[in-house]
Each structure stands twice: as structure tokens, then as C-alpha cells.
Amino acid sequence: MEYSVITSKENKLIKSVKKLLTSAKERKQTGTFVLEGLRLSADAALNGYTIDTLIICDSIDESDRLKALIKSAQVIVKVPESLFSYISDTVSPQGVMCVVKMPEKKTVDDIVNGRYIVLENTQDPANLGTIARTAEAFGISGLVVLNKSCDPFSPKAQRAGMGALLRLPVISADDISKTLQAFKGKGFKLFASVVGDADCDVTKTDFSGNCAVLIGNEANGLTDIAIKHCDRRITITMQGRAESLNAAAAASVIMWEMTRSEVE
């Protein structure tokens, strides 16, 4: 396949990539996002994502995996190492980057059955990616990202997810009340994860049937309105002097308990 060569920072594509890497607004407006690294880029192609533009460093060796990715890309661009480093979002660039079209947006109406994690105001993209990776490993049906949570298509979230955010159903929603009411309308049990004042410890909670667990903001937890919509408040009983867990760690414990009966 033919490819073009870009050497200038002033090139339109280069400027666009820089914006996509740093701006959730730009990603939303264009309906595209950027993945960096051969593994993530190849994962996107294997999972049916459209590779709009593939950018490769002119010094990289073309492995079989890269050749397969090249075949799936609509446009291929080669850039010198210095320019690739300029647009790269990583400390040690791998020389492969692609602009990917976002999938068709999913809504809570697409949910039928299963067990879900609902994230409210999650701010750290590394937490979001880690939660997605754990959710996929434990067989969670999908994630719902609520309110002012970080963008699941951000580079840091995608790297932390190691492809999980490309494979796991991810639903973004703005109206928390309508979203949780839709869950309840489908017969889901809703659980609010809290630090104190809980109805039940997570190890004694019945997660059978269709259910969703809400995980709150790293610093402030769940909002009152989110808790109000839930059927029960659950907590992870702490030992020693620990008052709480990191959001991703807490979510991992909860997801293990949600699916434990299926693996025992």
C-alpha cells in the first residue's frame, strides 16, 4: 500500500493528532481518538475498529504484526523519528500510532442482562483503564461512565486498559437519574459502594441476577443522588488503620465478589 511522508510540525494531520491526544472535546467533535503502540493499534484493528490513519516512524522494522495493521489502515503516513517523538504521548515511543474512529455510541437501552460497574465522576484515567482491564478479566458485562468522569478514549485510559476499553462495552451517560432509573426499569439491583454507613459488607452481599455496582469519585465517593437511587449500600470492611482503598483497588475487590460464585 502506498504511504505519504510528513516532515513538518505544521502539517494539518500532525496538529490534529496533537489535539486529539490532549483534548476530550476534540475527540468528541471529530469522533476519533488516538492509540499509540503496536499492541493497542493491532487490538483495535482486530476488534473491528476503523483505522482512519496509521502513523509509523520511518526507522521502525516492519514486523508481521505491523504489516497486518498496515493492510487494515485507510491512510498510512511515515514520519521521521524526531517528528514522531514530538507527537508521542509516551516516554519511550514505539514508532506506531493510529487515528481511530469511535464506535457507534452505546446507551443504557442496549443493556439487556448482566453485571455492570457504574463509575460516577472518576477523574483518574489510569483508574478507569485499570478498572476496565479488571472488569474484562472477571467477566463483567460492561462499564457505565457517568457525569464528569474522565474520557475513556484518552491515551492514558487506553494504555492502562491494555485493550480492555476496546473490547468491553463502555456506555457514557450524562443524566445519572435517568440512567439509574433505566437500570431499575430493566430489573437490575443497584448497589452503592460506600466507605461507611453501609447496609452490608461486600463479602455478604448477594450479587445474583442482574445487578450494577456504583463506584464514586476518588476523593469524594458517590453523590447523594447516586446513593439515593440504589437498593443497598455496600462496603469493604477495613483492617488495621486503612480508611479506604484506591478506586481501582476497591472496584477490583467488588468485582471479584460479584463474580466469585461463578469461578468457585
Side-chain angles (χ1 to χ4, degrees):
M1 182 178 286
E2 294 184 358
Y3 59 83
S4 58
V5 176
I6 294 175
T7 59
S8 172
K9 294 179 181 179
E10 300 304 314
N11 181 273
K12 183 178 179 181
L13 173 63
I14 299 302
K15 289 184 175 181
S16 174
V17 169
K18 292 286 283 186
K19 285 184 179 180
L20 288 172
L21 284 167
T22 58
S23 171
K25 181 179 179 181
E26 183 75 10
R27 292 190 286 268
K28 186 175 181 179
Q29 288 180 341
T30 62
T32 59
F33 64 105
V34 174
L35 293 174
E36 186 171 354
L38 179 56
R39 180 175 179 175
L40 270 180
S41 300
D43 273 354
L46 287 171
N47 284 281
Y49 285 77
T50 299
I51 309 300
D52 186 71
T53 305
L54 175 64
I55 304 171
I56 54 178
C57 183
D58 59 9
S59 62
I60 193 173
D61 293 329
E62 291 192 10
S63 63
D64 290 341
R65 201 174 194 183
L66 179 56
K67 289 177 181 177
L69 182 59
I70 288 172
K71 289 181 180 179
S72 69
Q74 295 185 342
V75 176
I76 305 166
V77 174
K78 281 194 174 184
V79 300
E81 192 170 330
S82 59
L83 187 54
F84 194 94
S85 296
Y86 169 72
I87 58 175
S88 173
D89 188 57
T90 63
V91 176
S92 302
Q94 298 179 31
V96 178
M97 179 184 296
C98 60
V99 179
V100 184
K101 291 184 178 178
M102 289 184 182
E104 184 177 344
K105 186 175 180 179
K106 294 182 181 297
T107 70
V108 71
D109 292 334
D110 296 313
I111 294 173
V112 180
N113 297 303
R115 295 171 185 167
Y116 288 79
I117 291 293
V118 181
L119 302 175
E120 185 192 30
N121 301 331
T122 301
Q123 295 299 299
D124 187 344
N127 279 337
L128 174 56
T130 301
I131 290 169
R133 187 179 176 188
T134 307
E136 183 184 36
F138 287 158
I140 296 297
S141 305
L143 299 180
V144 179
V145 182
L146 283 171
N147 290 1
K148 299 178 182 178
S149 294
C150 56
D151 182 10
F153 294 104
S154 73
K156 190 173 182 180
Q158 290 290 334
R159 285 197 299 273
M162 295 189 69
L165 284 167
L166 300 172
R167 297 183 291 267
L168 196 69
V170 179
I171 295 168
S172 295
D174 296 323
D175 192 313
I176 185 168
S177 293
K178 288 183 179 179
T179 301
L180 298 183
Q181 285 171 359
F183 264 112
K184 297 190 85 168
K186 293 173 180 284
F188 276 73
K189 292 180 292 185
L190 299 180
F191 298 95
S193 59
V194 297
V195 174
D197 193 26
D199 301 312
C200 187
D201 183 83
V202 66
T203 60
K204 297 179 176 63
T205 303
D206 179 10
F207 291 112
S208 61
N210 295 326
C211 65
V213 176
L214 277 66
I215 308 290
N217 175 264
E218 291 89 343
N220 303 311
L222 291 168
T223 60
D224 290 341
I225 191 169
I227 295 173
K228 180 181 177 181
H229 282 284
C230 291
D231 299 292
R232 302 197 76 184
R233 293 166 296 173
I234 61 174
T235 194
I236 301 170
T237 302
M238 298 291 163
Q239 301 292 330
R241 297 182 179 179
E243 294 182 357
S244 64
L245 293 174
N246 166 275
S252 296
V253 172
I254 290 168
M255 286 186 279
W256 166 252
E257 291 296 335
M258 290 174 75
T259 59
R260 182 161 57 93
S261 62
E262 298 179 356
V263 297
E264 288 181 339

Coordinates of all heavy atoms in Angstrom, one line a residue, residues 11 36 40-41 46 50 54 60 62 69 81 92 106 109 126 128 132 157 167 174 184 192 197 209-210 227 233 249 251:
N11 N 2.2 20.5 9.7 CA 1.2 19.7 8.9 C -0.1 19.6 9.6 O -0.2 19.4 10.8 CB 1.8 18.3 8.6 CG 0.9 17.4 7.8 OD1 0.1 16.7 8.3 ND2 1.1 17.5 6.5
E36 N -1.6 4.7 20.7 CA -0.2 4.6 20.4 C 0.4 3.3 20.9 O 0.0 2.8 21.9 CB 0.6 5.8 21.2 CG 2.0 5.8 20.8 CD 2.7 7.1 21.4 OE1 2.1 7.9 22.0 OE2 4.0 7.1 21.3
L40 N -1.8 -2.0 21.1 CA -3.1 -1.3 21.2 C -3.7 -1.1 19.8 O -4.9 -1.3 19.5 CB -3.0 0.0 21.9 CG -3.2 0.0 23.4 CD1 -3.1 1.4 24.0 CD2 -4.5 -0.6 23.8
S41 N -2.8 -0.6 18.8 CA -3.3 -0.4 17.5 C -3.8 -1.7 16.8 O -4.8 -1.7 16.2 CB -2.2 0.3 16.7 OG -1.8 1.5 17.2
L46 N -8.1 -5.6 15.2 CA -8.7 -7.0 15.4 C -10.1 -7.0 15.9 O -10.9 -7.9 15.7 CB -7.8 -7.8 16.3 CG -6.4 -8.3 15.7 CD1 -5.6 -8.8 16.8 CD2 -6.7 -9.3 14.6
T50 N -12.2 1.0 12.9 CA -11.7 1.6 11.6 C -10.5 2.4 11.9 O -10.5 3.3 12.7 CB -12.8 2.5 11.0 OG1 -13.9 1.7 10.7 CG2 -12.2 3.0 9.7
L54 N -2.8 5.5 9.9 CA -1.7 4.9 10.6 C -0.5 5.7 10.5 O -0.1 6.0 9.3 CB -1.5 3.5 10.1 CG -0.3 2.7 10.7 CD1 -0.5 2.4 12.1 CD2 -0.1 1.4 9.9
I60 N 11.3 2.3 11.9 CA 10.7 1.1 12.6 C 10.8 -0.1 11.6 O 10.6 0.0 10.4 CB 9.3 1.3 13.1 CG1 8.9 0.2 14.0 CG2 8.3 1.4 11.9 CD1 7.5 0.4 14.6
E62 N 9.4 -3.4 10.0 CA 8.0 -3.9 9.7 C 7.8 -5.3 10.0 O 8.1 -6.2 9.2 CB 7.7 -3.6 8.2 CG 7.5 -2.1 7.9 CD 6.9 -1.8 6.5 OE1 6.4 -2.8 5.9 OE2 6.9 -0.6 6.1
L69 N -1.4 -4.7 10.3 CA -2.0 -3.4 10.7 C -2.0 -2.5 9.5 O -3.0 -1.7 9.2 CB -1.3 -2.8 11.8 CG -1.8 -1.5 12.4 CD1 -3.3 -1.6 12.9 CD2 -0.9 -1.0 13.6
E81 N 11.9 10.1 13.0 CA 11.9 9.8 14.4 C 11.6 11.1 15.3 O 10.9 11.0 16.3 CB 13.2 9.2 14.8 CG 13.2 8.6 16.2 CD 14.4 7.7 16.4 OE1 15.0 7.1 15.4 OE2 14.9 7.6 17.6
S92 N 8.8 6.6 26.0 CA 9.6 5.8 25.1 C 8.7 5.4 23.9 O 8.1 4.3 23.9 CB 10.2 4.5 25.8 OG 11.0 4.9 26.9
K106 N -23.0 3.6 22.5 CA -23.9 2.7 23.2 C -24.7 3.5 24.3 O -24.1 4.4 24.9 CB -23.2 1.5 23.8 CG -22.6 0.5 22.8 CD -21.9 -0.6 23.5 CE -21.3 -1.6 22.5 NZ -22.3 -2.2 21.6
D109 N -30.0 1.7 27.0 CA -31.0 1.0 26.3 C -30.5 -0.3 25.7 O -31.2 -1.3 25.4 CB -31.7 1.8 25.2 CG -32.5 3.0 25.8 OD1 -33.0 2.8 26.9 OD2 -32.7 4.0 25.1
A126 N -6.1 6.6 34.6 CA -5.4 5.3 34.9 C -6.3 4.4 35.7 O -6.3 3.2 35.5 CB -4.1 5.6 35.7
L128 N -9.6 4.4 35.5 CA -10.6 3.9 34.6 C -10.1 2.8 33.7 O -10.8 1.8 33.6 CB -11.0 5.1 33.7 CG -12.0 4.8 32.5 CD1 -13.3 4.1 33.0 CD2 -12.3 6.0 31.7
A132 N -11.4 -1.2 33.9 CA -11.8 -1.8 32.6 C -11.1 -3.1 32.4 O -11.6 -4.2 32.1 CB -11.6 -0.9 31.4
A157 N -6.0 6.4 29.7 CA -7.0 5.4 30.0 C -6.8 4.2 29.1 O -6.9 3.0 29.5 CB -8.4 6.0 29.8
R167 N -12.5 -3.6 23.9 CA -13.3 -4.8 23.8 C -14.5 -4.8 24.7 O -15.5 -5.4 24.4 CB -12.4 -6.0 24.2 CG -11.2 -6.2 23.3 CD -10.4 -7.5 23.7 NE -9.7 -7.3 24.9 CZ -8.4 -6.9 25.1 NH1 -7.7 -6.5 24.0 NH2 -7.8 -6.7 26.2
D174 N -24.9 11.2 30.7 CA -24.8 12.4 31.4 C -25.8 12.5 32.6 O -25.5 13.1 33.6 CB -25.0 13.6 30.4 CG -24.0 13.7 29.4 OD1 -22.8 13.5 29.7 OD2 -24.3 14.0 28.2
K184 N -33.1 0.2 36.7 CA -34.1 -0.4 37.6 C -35.3 -0.8 36.8 O -36.0 -1.8 37.1 CB -34.5 0.6 38.7 CG -33.3 1.0 39.6 CD -33.8 1.8 40.8 CE -34.2 1.0 41.9 NZ -34.4 1.7 43.2
A192 N -24.6 0.7 46.0 CA -23.8 1.9 46.1 C -22.6 1.5 47.0 O -22.8 1.0 48.1 CB -24.5 3.0 46.8
D197 N -21.3 3.7 56.9 CA -22.8 3.8 57.0 C -23.4 2.9 55.9 O -24.2 3.3 55.1 CB -23.2 5.2 56.8 CG -24.7 5.4 57.1 OD1 -25.2 4.6 57.9 OD2 -25.4 6.3 56.6
G209 N -28.2 -12.6 39.8 CA -29.1 -11.9 38.9 C -28.5 -10.7 38.3 O -27.3 -10.5 38.3
N210 N -29.3 -9.9 37.6 CA -28.8 -8.7 37.0 C -28.6 -7.6 38.1 O -29.4 -7.3 38.9 CB -29.9 -8.1 36.0 CG -30.1 -9.0 34.9 OD1 -29.2 -9.7 34.4 ND2 -31.3 -9.1 34.4
I227 N -26.5 7.6 45.5 CA -26.8 6.6 46.6 C -28.3 6.5 46.7 O -28.8 5.4 47.0 CB -26.2 7.1 47.9 CG1 -24.6 7.1 47.7 CG2 -26.6 6.3 49.1 CD1 -23.9 7.7 48.9
R233 N -26.5 -0.1 50.2 CA -25.1 0.4 50.3 C -24.2 -0.6 50.8 O -24.5 -1.3 51.8 CB -25.1 1.6 51.3 CG -25.9 2.8 50.8 CD -26.2 3.8 51.9 NE -27.0 3.2 52.9 CZ -27.3 3.7 54.1 NH1 -26.8 4.9 54.4 NH2 -28.1 3.1 55.0
A249 N -8.6 -0.3 43.1 CA -8.4 -1.4 44.0 C -9.8 -1.8 44.6 O -10.1 -3.0 44.7 CB -7.4 -1.1 45.2
A251 N -12.7 -1.3 43.4 CA -13.5 -1.9 42.3 C -13.1 -3.3 42.0 O -14.0 -4.2 41.8 CB -13.4 -1.0 41.0

